[in-house]
Amino acid sequence: MSKIKVSIIGATGYVGAELVRGFACHPEVEFKYLTSRSFEGQKFSDIYPVLRGVCDMTLTNTDYETVAKESDLVVTALPHGVSSKTVPVLLENGCRVIDHSGDFRYKDLATYERSYKLEHPHPELLKEAVYGIPEFYRDELRNAKLVANPGCYPTCSLIALAPFLKAGLLDTTSIIINAVSGVSGAGRKESLPYSFCEMDENYKPYGVVGHRHTTEIEEQASFLAGTPLKLSFTPHLAPFKRGMLNTIYAKPSASFTDVSDEKINAIYKEFYKDEFFVRALDMKVFPEVKAVNGSNFIEINGVYDKETNLIKLFSAQDNLGKGAALQAIQAFNAMFGFDEKTGLTLVRGV
Amino acid sequence: MSKIKVSIIGATGYVGAELVRGFACHPEVEFKYLTSRSFEGQKFSDIYPVLRGVCDMTLTNTDYETVAKESDLVVTALPHGVSSKTVPVLLENGCRVIDHSGDFRYKDLATYERSYKLEHPHPELLKEAVYGIPEFYRDELRNAKLVANPGCYPTCSLIALAPFLKAGLLDTTSIIINAVSGVSGAGRKESLPYSFCEMDENYKPYGVVGHRHTTEIEEQASFLAGTPLKLSFTPHLAPFKRGMLNTIYAKPSASFTDVSDEKINAIYKEFYKDEFFVRALDMKVFPEVKAVNGSNFIEINGVYDKETNLIKLFSAQDNLGKGAALQAIQAFNAMFGFDEKTGLTLVRGV
Amino acid sequence: MSKIKVSIIGATGYVGAELVRGFACHPEVEFKYLTSRSFEGQKFSDIYPVLRGVCDMTLTNTDYETVAKESDLVVTALPHGVSSKTVPVLLENGCRVIDHSGDFRYKDLATYERSYKLEHPHPELLKEAVYGIPEFYRDELRNAKLVANPGCYPTCSLIALAPFLKAGLLDTTSIIINAVSGVSGAGRKESLPYSFCEMDENYKPYGVVGHRHTTEIEEQASFLAGTPLKLSFTPHLAPFKRGMLNTIYAKPSASFTDVSDEKINAIYKEFYKDEFFVRALDMKVFPEVKAVNGSNFIEINGVYDKETNLIKLFSAQDNLGKGAALQAIQAFNAMFGFDEKTGLTLVRGV
Amino acid sequence: MSKIKVSIIGATGYVGAELVRGFACHPEVEFKYLTSRSFEGQKFSDIYPVLRGVCDMTLTNTDYETVAKESDLVVTALPHGVSSKTVPVLLENGCRVIDHSGDFRYKDLATYERSYKLEHPHPELLKEAVYGIPEFYRDELRNAKLVANPGCYPTCSLIALAPFLKAGLLDTTSIIINAVSGVSGAGRKESLPYSFCEMDENYKPYGVVGHRHTTEIEEQASFLAGTPLKLSFTPHLAPFKRGMLNTIYAKPSASFTDVSDEKINAIYKEFYKDEFFVRALDMKVFPEVKAVNGSNFIEINGVYDKETNLIKLFSAQDNLGKGAALQAIQAFNAMFGFDEKTGLTLVRGV
């Protein structure tokens, strides 16, 4: 059987590089084009020496029509506002698309436009796009033409919240997400605040109110809860390259009468019992960034604090892995009918 | 004028070492004894090469009576349960004491005994002990015989909460503290979870319910609020050596009708306007661990999230600095009538 | 075709864990036993959470005879002095062995005994053992019963030196190796010098004269040069988890009359032109630890300093990868007739 | 007595910031101007929050004449090529100057012009400038109008080499310096190679032949040896912020007949017995970056490897401390007649 032809537009950012690393390990995939405006003509492995010998393809600046026509799947790792103009061109030319920007993640146009302060040139695609968390939208992915790969924080939050929201077990007015990300989340760029000397031995909040991922989490969390909700979200940066850990606080709902550590753990174990990439940890074992490094796994667990009647949920993933590129490959597997694990047994080790 | 004679019992842990570093820079202090059971006979600077040429005193295992009799101040950096037996001996022998354990931090005996799972051999000292945050207990420190140096998390939390609690501006049932500490908080010890290869590139929660500092914060926060309160506290470890940042969530109280970013900022600026070591930051500037590294400073700021009606407060300090040893020196200055800044213009620089 | 049955004795050290990670990705391998004395009865992934879902086998303390009889290959990750007693038992019971200790790396018994200060209980095996660098001993590996997996520093040094030593291009009295390793090289252990707070922001030499790997490098370098040689070797520790970079200084031999940057580069390119895992870098591009992280690749390049008539060679590898476990898997591929790349396209990415 | 008026031109780089931190702790100094072209009008502590409350002066873009006329000492932290034009203006206007660039470090004009590929506009000042290592040029500093603060690598190398070069104990054709620096050595700038994600968990050589500091070390080493010499110098970057460690290899000279570990150690102890900032370590104790962090100390020790007849010398300092700004303050103390330790008991602690 011939391999699936995959192209990546914007292959040289950190998400792009992780896409290349991941797809390069996929037995059913061959690359058609890796495009880059800045590095056209250079070998991919000159930009990412770690992939020398693994992917030495030359970066091109091929026009979108050609890329689309010659590929089965095009993955776009472009800035928001650019994707919304590029993706329709790709779709018109017959390929399927996984997009990494915020441009197709919302069902509600007004929320998108308020959050991104942009007018959407193709609002009709919002309905069609599938939000790319396979654990929630597996069936829709199968026939999706356009997949909106979720934000890193939303994936990490929604996987942790879903079992409780779907069962109506949380007071939906009480949810607080304290999120911590590694520095690769800021992207590959020349920027003083992300320089080694500024971030090493540092830790700090940023985007303390109104971070865009807030509304993305809210919309999907509302779908899960079956009722509109608002929540509090605060991101922080910590001095590691890859990884992300959310600490989520919420009150149990009135109907969650038997809340306990055991119950929370059992709910997670049951809800995700068939999900390979979601590790519902054992009692008293909690997620750590180290444990998901370089992989598509996400770890979850929770506890109940009787003294303050608060549920605390913890979730950890690799922001470039399950939080971005590797989840896109999991979605790709769902889209093209492969076992979702295919090519995704990558882990970091020590 | 002759210098104040200071001895340190348990000088070779990380808090002890920071006490040595700090007092060694104090112009009005001379060391009498630095004691260590494990390293008796060695030079302090053999254990901490960074202090070679700064403090090369020989560590002794001098009996407590002698230490107390020949010192004006004895600083104890001992484990809880040991301090409660040692400190009374020191006091009986005529010196003043600053203790770093949890043994004298509580006013309520039952709370102490429940939190530390220990019977207190000298409960009568709990009343006498002064909780050593100079910003709150400056007057009491002046004549204190026994100072209980606060825990690192409590200091970082209480400085941030105080202006709002004292003014009745928070819903005291709603307080959630998400705390992140550097690895030195775990102490100087041989332990796999704190080894370089386990903590580098890692981030994780620990003590997720019932960490001892919870009740310490609650008791002092209750004093500030003028009413008993419970709060939620969750500590995490991040891969840096020194520093700590708290992200605190709370609802405004009914009486806080004009809550806004500006108002929160103005309250901090006003409340701490005479406090050298408390940096109430300007609007839109938030605390970072880097900015307090190696110092006795603590940074604070906050915002209001209208969407969820939540106040978010941020505070950052060095866990060994304002969170432990350098605050003890600030308290020492208050106790002995020196300008509180004396010897404390240490900062880390780049 | 049935899979090769592999067992690992001492699976829970860092090398053991990397062996598990690597072999778990190998399509032709199934694990028979993972043994551990300390963690018997626990799941491997409880010790290494990063491998949850990838390898959840239970660790056993199975006797060596059984392990040997039921396995095609046993990999031993045991301390020197223990391996020399264990490996003969394994061989007698019919399996092939890859050993990670120093016990079978030397051809000269006296050098071994002097370097390790041990008497060797089975010197007859020294002759039989194959030194496991496939780039040098590919043919011998095919039928080897016993493979001595090389030390990390020796691999990194010998790959860099080989093309020049074999061609007689270096003054063999002038070789100086300045080596820098990540902290995982010290193993998984509770030890203050390797704790986060002691190694973070630190860099230091150790074993400054007489490190055991010196004689191991010397013996193999002598074989390459065709003449006995002594060299200088000095290891250092730097604050990263995985990786190693050698900076090697040597005078050209009298016969190396046309020494130049171009010539050095060309020699590397030619010598390793068929070696997938040896990246002979382009002119003016030099090895970095980051570029080999998590992989079996090794990078090399060199320059000539006319002013001092010195050749400088650089080589970088992952100390647990090409420096230990992944090279063992490469050797395994050679031993069992697989393409040497099989299962080894692991790279770390960003 | 009135304080010394000190101004800093180019105060917002990392060296500038360390100068501010250091001089701010100096009891005999007051700042007159801190100048910055990029940050004119901002407070210094807005750029370096760590110094909030320690130095909140406003940065100005005052003309050099005014700065010079109103200051006793002007410290320039400017790029080479700019300093050579600026410093003469300052000197003409009556102040004394400590310059941090390479522009006044050489006695030999041709070597400077070859190394920096620049024509020197004021070669007459090369003779007058004093090379600012107080341990070597204490007497000259006392009346110096112009001090050339040495490069970080040269200081670290020369302190280690001096006792042996002055005594003729090294084969001066055999010296090899393997140098490792923290990332702050690259300066405060937006640059991808020095971003957190590129340098964290990395280690690499750079400037592998012909780094400018080579000729600076050679010239001063020649003065110490009393004979012209060439040496090999190779710098590397490691993932820590501050610090530097040199590993130096050299053959003993024919006259060094009794070379041994003990002898090397004794030579260091004797040579530097009156130097507070040079820590000649005890036998078997070796320099570490951690031990000098944040300070003006430098640590040295050495060993002899009989097998290869090589002396190995180790020296560690803080690249911004003894390697730059704090050594400038030590030189300032020498210039203005203060005890050299004044204001310099800064150390980093844990």
Side-chain angles (χ1 to χ4, degrees):
Chain A
M1 200 188 102
S2 72
K3 298 198 171 184
I4 309 292
K5 291 187 190 65
V6 171
S7 293
I8 300 172
I9 295 184
T12 59
Y14 288 144
V15 169
E18 187 70 0
L19 285 165
V20 171
R21 179 176 87 105
F23 276 119
C25 296
H26 197 294
E28 309 292 345
V29 163
E30 65 182 334
F31 286 127
K32 190 70 195 173
Y33 294 104
L34 303 181
T35 83
S36 165
R37 215 163 286 189
S38 324
F39 300 102
E40 184 185 2
Q42 293 190 51
K43 283 192 296 183
F44 180 79
S45 53
D46 288 341
I47 317 302
Y48 287 95
V50 75
L51 290 160
R52 280 178 200 138
V54 177
C55 177
D56 298 309
M57 268 183 76
T58 298
L59 295 157
T60 65
N61 192 10
T62 314
D63 64 281
Y64 297 150
E65 287 77 6
T66 307
V67 172
K69 282 178 183 153
E70 303 186 8
S71 307
D72 299 307
L73 174 78
V74 177
V75 187
T76 43
L78 293 167
H80 56 82
V82 179
S83 270
S84 59
K85 290 171 200 143
T86 306
V87 166
V89 179
L90 296 169
L91 292 173
E92 278 162 27
N93 284 279
C95 63
R96 299 168 83 180
V97 173
I98 299 178
D99 178 60
H100 277 81
S101 81
D103 286 348
F104 300 98
R105 291 179 188 156
Y106 291 81
K107 293 299 160 201
D108 186 64
L109 178 65
T111 306
Y112 168 77
E113 295 192 344
R114 179 165 47 85
S115 301
Y116 282 82
K117 295 176 177 55
L118 284 172
E119 206 173 328
H120 202 299
H122 289 274
E124 75 283 1
L125 287 172
L126 295 186
K127 238 162 294 171
E128 188 187 330
V130 177
Y131 193 74
I133 299 186
E135 286 79 4
F136 302 160
Y137 296 104
R138 185 162 285 134
D139 294 341
E140 292 82 349
L141 286 168
R142 208 167 315 277
N143 300 305
K145 296 290 287 176
L146 170 55
V147 172
N149 203 52
C152 50
Y153 291 121
T155 298
C156 202
S157 303
L158 293 164
I159 296 271
L161 286 167
F164 300 94
L165 290 177
K166 289 197 99 165
L169 298 175
L170 300 183
D171 171 351
T172 55
T173 69
S174 72
I175 302 167
I176 291 172
I177 301 171
N178 191 94
V180 175
S181 173
V183 185
S184 64
R188 186 173 189 269
K189 58 186 169 207
E190 309 204 327
S191 173
L192 194 60
Y194 307 117
S195 70
F196 185 84
C197 289
E198 301 296 316
M199 266 314 301
D200 183 45
E201 303 291 298
N202 199 9
Y203 170 71
K204 63 176 181 181
Y206 73 100
V208 296
V209 169
H211 188 284
R212 281 167 188 142
H213 284 180
T214 313
T215 51
E216 184 183 334
I217 303 170
E218 284 174 347
E219 187 179 83
Q220 288 290 326
S222 298
F223 296 158
L224 290 164
T227 179
L229 62 80
K230 296 266 182 200
L231 48 75
S232 168
F233 173 74
T234 315
H236 303 71
L237 274 188
F240 47 84
K241 281 208 262 196
R242 294 174 62 148
M244 165 172 289
L245 191 145
N246 283 1
T247 303
I248 304 178
Y249 305 91
K251 299 271 177 199
S253 66
S255 67
F256 199 175
T257 51
D258 58 344
V259 56
S260 70
D261 294 0
E262 289 75 13
K263 188 73 194 170
I264 291 167
N265 192 261
I267 288 168
Y268 270 152
K269 294 255 183 193
E270 172 61 23
F271 192 89
Y272 289 116
K273 65 178 187 291
D274 297 325
E275 294 296 343
F276 180 69
F277 292 115
V278 184
R279 291 179 187 150
L281 301 179
D282 292 340
M283 295 282 302
K284 294 181 199 299
V285 181
F286 296 97
E288 310 192 19
V289 159
K290 174 180 71 175
V292 291
N293 196 313
S295 82
N296 192 45
F297 288 98
I298 179 167
E299 298 197 332
I300 48 172
N301 208 348
V303 289
Y304 175 62
D305 181 359
K306 269 182 297 254
E307 297 287 327
T308 54
N309 188 33
L310 266 180
I311 293 170
K312 303 182 187 181
L313 304 176
F314 303 92
S315 54
Q317 70 180 12
D318 187 320
N319 60 310
L320 298 178
K322 182 67 176 167
L326 301 185
Q327 172 152 272
I329 295 175
Q330 186 188 355
F332 160 84
N333 284 332
M335 291 168 77
F336 286 81
F338 301 115
D339 182 317
E340 278 180 29
K341 292 193 288 290
T342 312
L344 283 175
T345 44
L346 302 161
V347 294
R348 171 71 175 79
V350 175
Chain B
M1 199 188 103
S2 72
K3 297 196 170 185
I4 308 293
K5 289 185 191 67
V6 172
S7 293
I8 300 172
I9 294 182
T12 59
Y14 288 145
V15 170
E18 187 70 0
L19 285 164
V20 170
R21 179 177 88 106
F23 276 121
C25 296
H26 198 294
E28 309 292 345
V29 163
E30 65 183 333
F31 286 128
K32 190 69 196 174
Y33 293 104
L34 303 181
T35 83
S36 165
R37 216 163 285 188
S38 323
F39 300 102
E40 184 185 1
Q42 293 189 50
K43 283 193 295 183
F44 179 80
S45 52
D46 288 341
I47 317 302
Y48 286 95
V50 74
L51 290 160
R52 282 178 198 138
V54 178
C55 176
D56 297 310
M57 268 183 77
T58 298
L59 295 156
T60 64
N61 192 10
T62 314
D63 64 281
Y64 297 150
E65 289 76 5
T66 306
V67 172
K69 281 179 182 152
E70 302 186 8
S71 307
D72 299 307
L73 174 78
V74 177
V75 187
T76 45
L78 293 168
H80 56 83
V82 178
S83 269
S84 59
K85 291 171 199 144
T86 306
V87 166
V89 180
L90 296 168
L91 291 172
E92 278 162 27
N93 284 279
C95 63
R96 299 169 82 179
V97 173
I98 299 178
D99 179 60
H100 276 80
S101 80
D103 287 348
F104 300 99
R105 291 180 188 157
Y106 291 81
K107 292 301 159 200
D108 186 64
L109 178 65
T111 306
Y112 168 78
E113 295 192 344
R114 178 166 48 84
S115 302
Y116 282 82
K117 296 176 176 55
L118 283 171
E119 207 173 325
H120 202 298
H122 289 274
E124 74 284 1
L125 286 173
L126 294 186
K127 237 162 294 170
E128 188 186 329
V130 176
Y131 193 73
I133 299 186
E135 286 78 4
F136 302 160
Y137 296 104
R138 187 162 284 134
D139 294 342
E140 291 83 347
L141 286 168
R142 208 166 317 278
N143 300 305
K145 294 290 287 178
L146 170 56
V147 172
N149 203 53
C152 49
Y153 291 121
T155 297
C156 202
S157 303
L158 294 164
I159 296 271
L161 287 167
F164 299 94
L165 290 177
K166 289 198 97 165
L169 298 175
L170 300 183
D171 171 350
T172 55
T173 69
S174 72
I175 302 167
I176 291 172
I177 301 170
N178 192 94
V180 175
S181 172
V183 186
S184 65
R188 186 174 189 269
K189 58 187 169 207
E190 307 203 330
S191 172
L192 194 61
Y194 307 118
S195 71
F196 185 84
C197 288
E198 301 295 317
M199 266 314 300
D200 184 44
E201 302 291 297
N202 199 10
Y203 169 71
K204 63 176 181 181
Y206 72 100
V208 295
V209 168
H211 187 285
R212 280 169 188 141
H213 283 180
T214 312
T215 51
E216 184 183 333
I217 302 170
E218 285 175 345
E219 187 179 84
Q220 289 290 325
S222 298
F223 297 158
L224 290 163
T227 180
L229 64 80
K230 296 267 183 201
L231 49 76
S232 168
F233 173 74
T234 316
H236 304 70
L237 274 187
F240 47 84
K241 282 209 262 195
R242 294 175 62 149
M244 165 171 290
L245 191 144
N246 283 1
T247 303
I248 304 177
Y249 305 91
K251 299 271 177 199
S253 66
S255 66
F256 198 175
T257 51
D258 58 344
V259 57
S260 70
D261 293 0
E262 292 73 14
K263 188 73 193 170
I264 291 167
N265 191 260
I267 287 168
Y268 271 152
K269 295 256 182 194
E270 172 61 23
F271 192 89
Y272 290 115
K273 66 177 188 289
D274 298 325
E275 294 297 343
F276 180 70
F277 291 114
V278 184
R279 290 179 187 150
L281 300 179
D282 292 341
M283 294 283 301
K284 293 180 199 300
V285 180
F286 296 97
E288 311 193 19
V289 158
K290 174 180 74 176
V292 292
N293 195 313
S295 82
N296 192 46
F297 288 98
I298 179 167
E299 297 198 333
I300 49 173
N301 207 349
V303 290
Y304 175 62
D305 181 359
K306 268 182 298 252
E307 297 287 326
T308 54
N309 188 33
L310 267 180
I311 293 170
K312 302 182 188 182
L313 305 176
F314 303 92
S315 54
Q317 68 179 14
D318 187 319
N319 61 309
L320 298 179
K322 183 66 177 169
L326 302 186
Q327 173 153 272
I329 296 175
Q330 187 188 354
F332 160 84
N333 284 333
M335 290 168 78
F336 285 82
F338 301 116
D339 183 317
E340 277 179 31
K341 290 194 290 291
T342 312
L344 283 175
T345 44
L346 302 161
V347 293
R348 169 73 175 79
V350 176
Chain C
M1 199 189 102
S2 71
K3 298 197 170 186
I4 309 293
K5 291 185 190 66
V6 172
S7 293
I8 301 173
I9 294 183
T12 59
Y14 288 143
V15 170
E18 187 70 1
L19 285 164
V20 171
R21 179 175 88 105
F23 275 120
C25 297
H26 198 293
E28 310 292 347
V29 164
E30 66 183 332
F31 286 128
K32 190 70 195 174
Y33 294 104
L34 303 180
T35 83
S36 166
R37 214 163 286 187
S38 323
F39 300 102
E40 184 185 1
Q42 295 189 51
K43 284 193 295 186
F44 180 79
S45 53
D46 289 340
I47 317 303
Y48 286 95
V50 76
L51 289 161
R52 282 179 198 138
V54 178
C55 177
D56 298 309
M57 269 183 77
T58 298
L59 296 157
T60 64
N61 192 11
T62 315
D63 64 281
Y64 297 149
E65 287 78 4
T66 306
V67 172
K69 281 178 183 152
E70 303 186 8
S71 307
D72 299 308
L73 175 77
V74 177
V75 187
T76 44
L78 294 167
H80 55 83
V82 179
S83 269
S84 59
K85 290 171 199 142
T86 306
V87 165
V89 179
L90 296 169
L91 291 172
E92 279 162 28
N93 284 279
C95 63
R96 300 169 82 180
V97 173
I98 300 178
D99 179 60
H100 277 80
S101 80
D103 287 349
F104 300 99
R105 292 181 188 155
Y106 291 81
K107 293 300 160 199
D108 186 64
L109 178 65
T111 307
Y112 168 78
E113 295 193 343
R114 179 166 47 85
S115 301
Y116 282 82
K117 295 176 177 57
L118 284 171
E119 207 172 325
H120 202 299
H122 289 273
E124 75 282 1
L125 287 172
L126 294 186
K127 239 163 293 172
E128 188 187 328
V130 176
Y131 193 73
I133 299 185
E135 286 78 3
F136 302 160
Y137 296 104
R138 185 162 285 136
D139 294 340
E140 292 82 348
L141 285 169
R142 207 166 316 277
N143 300 304
K145 295 291 286 176
L146 170 56
V147 172
N149 203 53
C152 50
Y153 291 121
T155 297
C156 201
S157 304
L158 294 164
I159 296 272
L161 285 166
F164 300 93
L165 289 177
K166 287 198 100 165
L169 299 175
L170 300 183
D171 171 351
T172 55
T173 69
S174 72
I175 302 168
I176 291 172
I177 302 171
N178 192 94
V180 174
S181 173
V183 185
S184 65
R188 187 175 188 267
K189 58 186 170 206
E190 308 203 329
S191 171
L192 195 60
Y194 306 118
S195 70
F196 185 84
C197 289
E198 301 297 315
M199 265 315 298
D200 183 46
E201 303 291 297
N202 199 10
Y203 170 71
K204 63 177 180 181
Y206 73 100
V208 295
V209 167
H211 188 285
R212 281 167 188 142
H213 284 180
T214 312
T215 52
E216 184 183 333
I217 302 170
E218 285 174 345
E219 187 180 82
Q220 288 290 326
S222 297
F223 295 158
L224 290 163
T227 179
L229 62 80
K230 295 268 183 199
L231 48 75
S232 168
F233 172 74
T234 317
H236 303 71
L237 274 187
F240 47 85
K241 281 208 262 196
R242 294 174 63 148
M244 166 172 289
L245 191 144
N246 283 1
T247 303
I248 304 178
Y249 305 90
K251 299 273 177 198
S253 65
S255 67
F256 198 174
T257 51
D258 57 346
V259 57
S260 69
D261 294 359
E262 291 73 15
K263 189 73 194 168
I264 291 168
N265 192 261
I267 288 168
Y268 271 152
K269 295 256 183 193
E270 172 61 22
F271 193 89
Y272 289 115
K273 66 176 185 292
D274 298 325
E275 294 296 343
F276 180 69
F277 291 115
V278 183
R279 292 180 187 148
L281 300 179
D282 292 341
M283 294 282 302
K284 293 181 200 298
V285 181
F286 296 97
E288 310 192 19
V289 159
K290 175 179 73 176
V292 291
N293 195 314
S295 82
N296 192 46
F297 289 98
I298 179 166
E299 298 197 332
I300 49 172
N301 208 349
V303 290
Y304 175 62
D305 181 0
K306 271 182 297 251
E307 297 287 326
T308 55
N309 188 33
L310 266 180
I311 293 170
K312 302 182 188 182
L313 305 176
F314 303 92
S315 54
Q317 69 179 13
D318 188 320
N319 60 308
L320 298 178
K322 182 68 175 166
L326 302 186
Q327 172 153 273
I329 295 175
Q330 186 188 356
F332 160 83
N333 285 332
M335 291 168 78
F336 285 81
F338 301 115
D339 183 317
E340 277 181 29
K341 290 194 289 289
T342 312
L344 283 175
T345 45
L346 302 162
V347 293
R348 169 72 175 79
V350 176
Chain D
M1 201 189 101
S2 70
K3 298 196 170 186
I4 309 293
K5 290 186 191 64
V6 172
S7 293
I8 300 172
I9 294 182
T12 60
Y14 288 144
V15 169
E18 186 70 0
L19 285 164
V20 170
R21 179 175 88 105
F23 276 121
C25 297
H26 197 294
E28 310 292 347
V29 163
E30 65 182 333
F31 286 127
K32 190 70 196 174
Y33 294 104
L34 303 181
T35 83
S36 166
R37 217 163 282 188
S38 324
F39 300 102
E40 183 186 1
Q42 295 189 51
K43 284 192 296 183
F44 180 80
S45 53
D46 288 341
I47 317 303
Y48 286 95
V50 74
L51 289 161
R52 282 179 198 137
V54 178
C55 176
D56 298 309
M57 268 184 78
T58 298
L59 295 157
T60 65
N61 192 10
T62 314
D63 65 280
Y64 298 151
E65 289 77 4
T66 306
V67 172
K69 280 177 184 153
E70 302 186 9
S71 307
D72 299 308
L73 174 78
V74 176
V75 187
T76 44
L78 293 167
H80 56 83
V82 179
S83 269
S84 59
K85 291 171 198 143
T86 306
V87 165
V89 180
L90 296 169
L91 291 172
E92 278 162 27
N93 284 279
C95 64
R96 300 168 83 178
V97 173
I98 299 178
D99 179 61
H100 276 80
S101 81
D103 287 348
F104 300 99
R105 291 180 188 156
Y106 291 80
K107 292 301 160 200
D108 185 64
L109 177 65
T111 307
Y112 167 79
E113 295 193 343
R114 179 166 47 86
S115 302
Y116 284 82
K117 295 176 177 53
L118 284 171
E119 207 172 326
H120 202 299
H122 289 274
E124 75 282 2
L125 287 172
L126 294 186
K127 238 162 292 168
E128 189 187 328
V130 176
Y131 193 73
I133 299 185
E135 287 78 3
F136 302 161
Y137 295 105
R138 186 161 284 135
D139 294 341
E140 292 82 348
L141 286 169
R142 207 167 317 278
N143 300 305
K145 295 290 286 176
L146 170 56
V147 173
N149 203 53
C152 50
Y153 291 120
T155 298
C156 202
S157 303
L158 294 164
I159 296 271
L161 286 166
F164 300 93
L165 290 177
K166 289 199 97 164
L169 299 174
L170 301 182
D171 170 351
T172 55
T173 69
S174 72
I175 302 168
I176 291 172
I177 301 171
N178 191 94
V180 175
S181 172
V183 186
S184 65
R188 185 176 190 268
K189 58 185 167 206
E190 307 204 329
S191 173
L192 195 61
Y194 307 118
S195 71
F196 185 83
C197 289
E198 301 296 317
M199 267 314 300
D200 184 45
E201 302 292 298
N202 200 8
Y203 170 70
K204 63 177 181 181
Y206 73 100
V208 296
V209 168
H211 187 286
R212 280 169 189 141
H213 284 180
T214 313
T215 52
E216 184 183 334
I217 302 170
E218 285 174 346
E219 187 180 82
Q220 288 290 327
S222 297
F223 297 157
L224 290 162
T227 179
L229 61 81
K230 295 267 183 201
L231 47 77
S232 169
F233 172 75
T234 316
H236 303 71
L237 273 187
F240 47 83
K241 282 209 262 196
R242 295 173 61 148
M244 166 171 288
L245 190 143
N246 283 1
T247 304
I248 305 177
Y249 305 90
K251 299 273 178 197
S253 66
S255 67
F256 198 175
T257 51
D258 57 345
V259 57
S260 70
D261 294 359
E262 291 72 16
K263 189 72 195 171
I264 290 167
N265 191 260
I267 287 167
Y268 270 152
K269 295 257 183 193
E270 172 62 22
F271 192 89
Y272 289 116
K273 65 177 188 290
D274 298 324
E275 294 297 341
F276 180 69
F277 291 114
V278 183
R279 291 179 187 150
L281 300 179
D282 291 341
M283 294 284 300
K284 293 179 200 299
V285 180
F286 296 96
E288 310 192 18
V289 159
K290 173 179 75 174
V292 291
N293 195 313
S295 82
N296 191 46
F297 288 98
I298 180 167
E299 297 197 333
I300 49 172
N301 207 348
V303 289
Y304 175 62
D305 180 0
K306 270 183 297 254
E307 297 288 326
T308 54
N309 188 33
L310 267 180
I311 293 170
K312 302 182 188 182
L313 306 176
F314 303 92
S315 54
Q317 67 179 15
D318 187 320
N319 60 308
L320 297 178
K322 182 67 176 168
L326 302 185
Q327 173 152 272
I329 296 176
Q330 186 188 357
F332 159 85
N333 284 332
M335 290 167 79
F336 285 81
F338 300 116
D339 183 318
E340 277 179 31
K341 291 193 290 289
T342 312
L344 283 175
T345 45
L346 303 162
V347 293
R348 170 73 176 80
V350 176

